[in-house]
Amino acid sequence: MDSVRSDRTSGSRIPVALKILIAGGFGVGKTTMVGSVSEIRPLQTEEILTGAEGADDVSGVEGKTTTTVTMDFGRITITEDLQLYLFGTPGQDRFWFLWDELSQGALGAVVLTDTRRLADCFPSIDYFEQRGTPFVVAVNTFDTEHRFGPEAVARALDLDPGVPVVLFDARDQVAARNVLIELVEYVARRQYAAAGSR
C-alpha cells in the first residue's frame, strides 16, 4: 500500500493491467507468441512430449518435441498507462481443466490458428463464444505454404460478423504486439457499442 501511496504523491501513474489469454490448438505458436512479445523473461511450463500412444497428436507439427503443461506468462507495456499480462493456455485436451482458472478476469483472448490444422482452433472459439469472452483470431503464417486471407478464414470458422481475423508471424515481436492491440481495440469497440445501445 505504501508503494501505491508514494506513487500517487510523487505524481507518477500506475498503469492499468489487463489480462489477455493466448489460446489455440496444440503446436500453433502460443508459447512462441508470448515469448516473442513479452518484455520480461516469460514463464514457460514446457515439458517433453509423452511417448504414450495417442496422447499427443503431432500431425502437422511432427518436429514438435515439447508441450505447455500449465501456462505461459508474459507482460508487455502498450503505453505508459496500459500493460497487458499474457497467459498462454495449454493446447491439449487433457489440460483443459486449467482454462476456467486461467480465464477468470480476462479482458479477452487471442485464438491462434494454423491453416494447416484449422479445425484445432474450434474448441477455443467455442469456449470463448459460450462464455461471451471477446476474442480475435490470429492466423500464424509461420513456415506455411497454405496462406488464406482473413475473409476466407472467417468463413471457414463461421465467425460472427465483426470478429477480427489477422495474419501474423508469432515469432515477430511487432506483429504479435499488433495482434494484442487489435484485441484491445476490438474489446473497446464492443463496449462502446454496448453502452450506446442502452
Side-chain angles (χ1 to χ4, degrees), residues 25-150:
F26 173 67
V28 77
K30 298 176 297 293
T31 298
T32 301
M33 180 182 179
V34 172
S36 74
V37 77
S38 181
E39 63 197 17
I40 61 171
R41 184 172 159 224
L43 167 68
Q44 298 176 338
T45 58
E46 292 280 294
E47 292 295 335
I48 302 295
L49 288 172
T50 67
E53 184 71 29
D56 301 308
D57 180 7
V58 294
S59 302
V61 287
E62 288 80 8
K64 187 164 176 61
T65 59
T66 61
T67 188
T68 300
V69 296
T70 306
M71 68 173 187
D72 298 313
F73 174 79
R75 184 189 73 210
I76 179 172
T77 300
I78 300 296
T79 67
E80 73 177 42
D81 295 326
L82 178 62
Q83 288 183 340
L84 302 180
Y85 290 135
L86 311 175
F87 290 82
T89 63
Q92 296 169 287
D93 294 348
R94 67 180 185 265
F95 300 120
W96 272 68
F97 66 93
L98 297 167
W99 278 50
D100 287 335
E101 290 295 322
L102 289 175
S103 66
Q104 286 184 0
L107 174 77
V110 174
V111 176
L112 264 64
T113 189
D114 174 353
T115 56
R116 296 172 298 181
R117 297 173 295 119
L118 199 57
D120 290 357
C121 75
F122 280 120
S124 300
I125 290 172
D126 290 344
Y127 181 89
F128 296 122
E129 283 180 341
Q130 289 171 3
R131 286 157 181 79
T133 303
F135 65 92
V136 301
V137 173
V139 181
N140 193 354
T141 59
F142 66 121
D143 299 333
T144 182
E145 64 282 354
H146 300 101
R147 297 216 177 180
F148 298 92

Side-chain angles (χ1 to χ4, degrees), residues 15 21-22 37 39 45 90 93 120-122 157 159 171 173-175 180:
L21 296 181
I22 310 298
V37 77
E39 63 197 17
T45 58
D93 294 348
D120 290 357
C121 75
F122 280 120
L157 296 175
L159 297 175
R171 300 167 297 189
Q173 180 183 27
V174 173
L180 297 170

